[in-house]
Amino acid sequence: MKPIRNFCIIAHIDHGKSTLADRLLEFTNTITEREREDQLLDDMDLEKERGITIKSHAIQMDYPFNGIDYTINLIDTPGHVDFSYEVSRSIASCEGALLLVDATQGIQAQTISNLYLALENDLEIIPVVNKIDMDGAMIEEVKDQIVDLIGCERDTILEASGRSGIGIEGILKAVIERIPAPKFTEGAKLQAMIFDSVFNPFRGVIAYFRIFNGTLRKNDKIRFLATQKDYNADEIGILRLKPEIKDLLGPGDVGYIITGIKQAKEIKVGDTITLASDPSTESVKGFEDVKPMVFAGIYPIDSDDFEDLRDSLEKLQLNDASLVYEPETSIALGFGFRCGFLGLLHLEIVSERLEREFDQNIIVTVPQVSYNCYLSKDKDKAMYLHNPAELPDVTTLDRIEEPWIKSQIITKPEFIGSLMNLCMEKRGILQNQHYLTPTRVELQFEMPLAEIVFDFYDKLKSISKGYASFDYQLIGFRAGDLVKLDIKLNGENVDAFSSMIHRDKAYGFGSRLCEKLKELIPKQQFVIAIQAAIGMKIISRETISAMRKDVTAKCYGGDISRKRKLLEKQKKGKKKMRQFGKVEVPQEAFLAVLKLND
């Protein structure tokens, strides 16, 4: 066996992870000059367009050092808070991590969050100061921050530049010398953890795994421990720029397996692969199950496409294990799915991928967080509420609890006042204020998750001119004065617009939503009343006047009673039409709810 090193790169968003990964691939001759391009490992159009990593990507490199050929497996990870689940899966597959810090920006909130995740998994941390050749680089200051954060020796911090290739050799040397080789038990049964999977229309499901114990050969009969199903290993191999077929993989290897599985639900990310002939009974202790933060309904525009949407979500879930969904029905929108996401960017990416990769025309409803409801007759038993339409009768409720988060904001001192005001508006409670350096301050707030779902991140960035960074962790549920806000069109509830909201904010939100819907819903032949209501109480109303057809146009002169007769007939028709007429809500109306605070 060749000596193996497995490592990942962790950092805040836009600190240069993908660029550094490109340089490592070039330096080790893993890619040729022809194959060279920016963000090489980011294979989605969306990733290249937005300049962010959405998926973690594994690739194998060979590097000779001191006369020994080393195999190095790199897993590039995302930096945005919404994709921290991808990071947790990468960390579970590695023994070490490069902690990348931008020399022009210093340590940011997500850097700290990902670092703690790596330390929990006992990973060897190699700190690297990146972008040292930039004009605004504060190399010594950033090194001080890293020493304060992880307590390492100052001379162990590496300096590098992903753009110009400075320090790449030093990073590879540190990976080989500092990161431990994979540990395994000699003669143990096969244990391999699936950390990702993807659907190929010709080959079926391709699973990516890391072997912890034992060996896997081509054509071995394998078993997935979670489903207890047996399959044949038709093809195994390692992950180069293009998959490379191998006959044998051993402990520490990262590779792929094709078994001909066509059903997406038969493979679960986090599952353990073992041999059917000599199975291991223990699963690999990997990452935790995903906990969705935000819920929204996804519905096909044409109800006939429901089954296609189900297949698309199944295939997408293979590639994005943090997506959870279950079927639901809506009076306004028909059959669809209630989906759970890790945040609003995650929701945006999933809906865009459904449209681009699977050609699905969808409507996404107002995002909500999940709540705990307690009934008066059983005050200790919680009912989980993912959809406001499921809220029990108010008279039977004892209390409603909403999720709260502990947020960490790192910013420059001049923005403290504005950011505190923003957090107070969002019902935040200041817990701590701590100066990391004279030019950087950390604010810790506790606030309801529902308040940061919509526009908090955008406002934070605009107030701080892009300098503030934000991270959060769920800390539990707390009771609050929450009400269900309904939107009625001609007296009928549109359940897709229903939302749970704090009583103090219900009136303002309801009136803004009614005004927005008045702009977006087209005129009909009858009057449309748009109302916002809490229970039976109407708190806001807008009216869309009827489109008037001139029925008297054909009367040339003559008696006025003729015209009156036609107008009376029209009036009766409009009354009847209002009784039976259906108001079509355009898709823009559902999207507008997300942009209410713009």
Side-chain angles (χ1 to χ4, degrees), residues 272-300:
T272 300
I273 300 173
T274 187
L275 291 176
S277 56
D278 188 14
S280 167
T281 51
E282 280 184 41
S283 297
V284 177
K285 296 288 179 284
F287 41 89
E288 299 169 9
D289 270 346
V290 62
K291 294 183 184 72
M293 297 282 193
V294 177
F295 292 86
I298 292 184
Y299 293 85

Side-chain angles (χ1 to χ4, degrees), residues 57-194:
H57 299 273
I59 192 162
Q60 190 175 102
M61 303 175 278
D62 289 325
Y63 184 62
F65 182 70
N66 289 346
I68 301 169
D69 287 338
Y70 285 87
T71 296
I72 300 173
N73 289 307
L74 157 67
I75 303 180
D76 182 28
T77 61
H80 195 280
V81 62
D82 277 17
F83 303 113
S84 54
Y85 187 61
E86 289 284 329
V87 182
S88 75
R89 286 156 48 191
S90 306
I91 283 171
S93 308
C94 297
E95 279 80 34
L98 292 185
L99 177 72
L100 209 60
V101 183
D102 189 331
T104 61
Q105 295 182 59
I107 284 171
Q108 309 240 289
Q110 196 63 31
T111 317
I112 298 171
S113 173
N114 288 341
L115 171 68
Y116 289 156
L117 205 60
L119 290 173
E120 279 171 26
N121 283 267
D122 296 328
L123 263 63
E124 181 65 38
I125 307 294
I126 300 174
V128 181
V129 178
N130 193 26
K131 304 187 186 180
I132 58 166
D133 57 341
M134 298 277 280
D135 293 339
M138 310 170 290
I139 301 168
E140 296 308 314
E141 202 176 308
V142 171
K143 280 188 177 181
D144 289 339
Q145 292 175 22
I146 293 172
V147 171
D148 287 346
L149 180 66
I150 58 176
C152 63
E153 294 294 325
R154 194 181 177 84
D155 55 4
T156 62
I157 301 171
L158 305 178
E159 295 180 14
S161 168
R163 186 177 61 170
S164 54
I166 300 167
I168 301 301
E169 191 173 358
I171 288 174
L172 285 165
K173 183 185 173 190
V175 165
I176 289 166
E177 290 179 345
R178 295 198 220 167
I179 293 173
K183 290 179 184 156
F184 62 94
T185 309
E186 199 71 52
K189 296 175 181 180
L190 175 66
Q191 286 179 310
M193 184 183 74
I194 300 172

Side-chain angles (χ1 to χ4, degrees), residues 563-577:
K563 289 183 179 178
R564 278 209 189 110
K565 193 176 174 184
L566 287 168
L567 289 167
E568 281 298 318
K569 189 178 176 186
Q570 186 188 38
K571 195 175 172 183
K572 280 181 187 172
K574 280 190 186 296
K575 192 176 176 184
K576 190 176 180 183
M577 202 183 276

Side-chain angles (χ1 to χ4, degrees), residues 474-537:
L474 199 64
I475 55 172
F477 286 76
R478 297 180 190 175
D481 187 11
L482 301 164
V483 292
K484 179 185 167 197
L485 181 74
D486 288 314
I487 297 295
K488 297 172 181 283
L489 292 181
N490 280 348
E492 293 288 324
N493 278 354
V494 182
D495 53 354
F497 285 124
S498 294
S499 57
M500 297 296 296
I501 194 164
H502 196 268
R503 194 181 294 274
D504 295 346
K505 300 195 171 189
Y507 176 76
F509 183 77
S511 56
R512 285 204 310 278
L513 186 48
C514 288
E515 285 166 18
K516 198 76 178 172
L517 290 175
K518 185 182 178 181
E519 290 171 24
L520 293 166
I521 293 175
K523 280 189 173 187
Q524 309 285 333
Q525 295 271 341
F526 52 92
V527 174
I528 301 170
I530 305 167
Q531 297 167 313
I534 298 172
M536 302 302 290
K537 185 182 177 185

Side-chain angles (χ1 to χ4, degrees), residues 187-201:
K189 296 175 181 180
L190 175 66
Q191 286 179 310
M193 184 183 74
I194 300 172
F195 66 86
D196 205 356
S197 52
V198 65
F199 187 82
N200 183 303

